[in-house]
Amino acid sequence: MNASQSSTSSELVVVTGASTGIGRATAQRLATDGFHVVAGVRTEAAAAEVKAGRIEPVLLDITDESQVTALADRVRADRRPLRAVVNNAGIAVNAPIEALPPAEWRRQFEVSVFGQVAVIQALMPALLRSKGRIVNIGSTGGKVAMPGFGAYSGAKFAMEAVSDSLRREVEPFGVTVAVIIPGAVRTKLTERGNATAERLIAGMTPEQRTRYAGLTKAFRTTTESWGTNGLDASVVADAVSKAIRERRPRTRYTVGRDAAVMTRLTHLVSDRLLDRMVRRTMGL
């Protein structure tokens, strides 16, 4: 069906990371579209806030194997076909690469790569049966790696590769894969990422804090601007709805002018020129 046609509650959609921000807005939009949304949240309090007529919250930490298995069991027990899974859960662990402990790198990738893959693997049998769709929430950080965002961008770049490989593997069986690439969005992910960054900066050596003083100041200014000028999460949810409902979805949807510009620049300018443009944008 195309984006102008309504869906029905006879189909399921799974949305991870639905407690706040893009995930919550997506769950609400897809419920309005008519889908029954199984919304992954981390706490009982979040479940109570998210629960609505067509939104069924389930406790889901995508790094917890037992909870991912429980999600697959919930979907398998339902007679309704699984129309789509929206992989939105993620974290932002940001600091200069020199000063970011390996344990923090692992935490970033456990949530933003390995947890995503675990959900895809667990729900693939249902998606194959229904010829459903996988929608991965990417980022301009998966196209351009800004200074200070190495771990976050590394995970997003990895999911770009996973999405490409997966699409080429499963589309012959009727399962489609799309990536949503938002620019700056006003979400609590940015707030939580800033709090994590402050903690990591506090743990740097005096020499590192001096060396990266300009970068950490620019980082704060950049992320604060996202909170002020970023898109509302509902705009991203609209793109997810298109990716799920259009008859022939695109492989990628950019959301926001900044995402469109940055994605295009990676194909048009040299690395050195892009380096200068990124540093100028951040005020470095």
Side-chain angles (χ1 to χ4, degrees), residues 154-171:
K156 289 298 185 181
F157 267 80
M159 282 306 298
E160 286 281 337
V162 168
S163 298
D164 281 342
S165 183
L166 182 66
R167 184 182 68 252
R168 291 159 185 159
E169 291 171 359
V170 299
E171 283 199 344

Side-chain angles (χ1 to χ4, degrees), residues 16 60-64 67-68 89 110-112 114-116 118-119:
T16 69
L60 179 64
D61 176 348
I62 63 172
T63 67
D64 184 325
Q67 292 190 5
V68 173
E110 284 290 344
V111 176
S112 298
F114 306 138
Q116 311 274 2
V119 170

Side-chain angles (χ1 to χ4, degrees), residues 13-31 37 39-41 50 55 86-91 116 135-140 152 156 179-190 192 226 230-241 244 253-256 259:
V13 175
V14 170
V15 180
T16 69
S19 298
T20 61
I22 292 172
R24 187 168 183 173
T26 296
Q28 292 169 340
R29 170 56 196 265
L30 296 176
V37 180
V41 298
V50 168
I55 301 178
V86 181
N87 277 306
N88 169 73
I91 59 173
Q116 311 274 2
V135 181
N136 294 327
I137 305 299
S139 168
T140 52
Y152 176 80
K156 289 298 185 181
V179 181
I180 309 297
I181 306 173
V185 181
R186 300 189 303 273
T187 72
K188 288 188 177 181
L189 174 66
T190 301
R192 292 192 293 266
W226 295 345
L231 295 171
D232 188 83
S234 63
V235 181
V236 184
D238 290 343
V240 175
S241 176
I244 291 174
Y253 295 77
T254 57
V255 182

Side-chain angles (χ1 to χ4, degrees), residues 8-266:
T8 72
S9 58
S10 62
E11 294 178 296
L12 298 177
V13 175
V14 170
V15 180
T16 69
S19 298
T20 61
I22 292 172
R24 187 168 183 173
T26 296
Q28 292 169 340
R29 170 56 196 265
L30 296 176
T32 300
D33 288 342
F35 294 107
H36 182 85
V37 180
V38 179
V41 298
R42 291 291 301 276
T43 67
E44 294 286 0
E49 292 179 1
V50 168
K51 187 176 182 179
R54 290 195 179 98
I55 301 178
E56 174 194 341
V58 297
L59 291 180
L60 179 64
D61 176 348
I62 63 172
T63 67
D64 184 325
E65 184 177 348
S66 66
Q67 292 190 5
V68 173
T69 299
L71 172 66
D73 290 343
R74 162 66 190 86
V75 171
R76 188 182 306 110
D78 202 302
R79 298 181 65 178
R80 291 169 289 195
L82 179 60
R83 177 64 172 269
V85 55
V86 181
N87 277 306
N88 169 73
I91 59 173
V93 178
N94 297 313
I97 289 172
E98 176 193 352
L100 189 59
E104 297 291 347
W105 283 88
R106 295 188 186 98
R107 189 165 72 93
Q108 176 74 74
F109 276 73
E110 284 290 344
V111 176
S112 298
V113 180
F114 306 138
Q116 311 274 2
V117 171
V119 170
I120 291 168
Q121 290 177 336
L123 296 180
M124 185 59 74
L127 289 165
L128 288 167
R129 286 193 300 271
S130 63
K131 299 188 185 304
R133 300 184 178 185
I134 297 166
V135 181
N136 294 327
I137 305 299
S139 168
T140 52
K143 296 295 185 180
V144 178
M146 298 170 69
F149 296 82
Y152 176 80
S153 283
K156 289 298 185 181
F157 267 80
M159 282 306 298
E160 286 281 337
V162 168
S163 298
D164 281 342
S165 183
L166 182 66
R167 184 182 68 252
R168 291 159 185 159
E169 291 171 359
V170 299
E171 283 199 344
F173 311 120
V175 178
T176 59
V177 180
V179 181
I180 309 297
I181 306 173
V185 181
R186 300 189 303 273
T187 72
K188 288 188 177 181
L189 174 66
T190 301
E191 296 175 16
R192 292 192 293 266
N194 287 345
T196 298
E198 293 296 333
R199 172 178 61 80
L200 293 169
I201 290 168
M204 291 164 58
T205 66
E207 293 80 8
Q208 288 171 340
R209 283 197 293 274
T210 299
R211 182 155 49 247
Y212 296 113
L215 174 57
T216 55
K217 180 180 178 181
F219 173 88
R220 292 188 186 100
T221 301
T222 298
T223 54
E224 287 170 4
S225 73
W226 295 345
T228 303
N229 304 316
L231 295 171
D232 188 83
S234 63
V235 181
V236 184
D238 290 343
V240 175
S241 176
K242 288 182 180 179
I244 291 174
R245 299 175 64 215
E246 286 182 334
R247 187 181 300 277
R248 292 182 60 83
R250 302 202 299 268
T251 59
R252 283 176 173 79
Y253 295 77
T254 57
V255 182
R257 182 177 180 275
D258 54 342
V261 170
M262 293 300 284
T263 299
R264 185 174 295 273
L265 280 175
T266 61

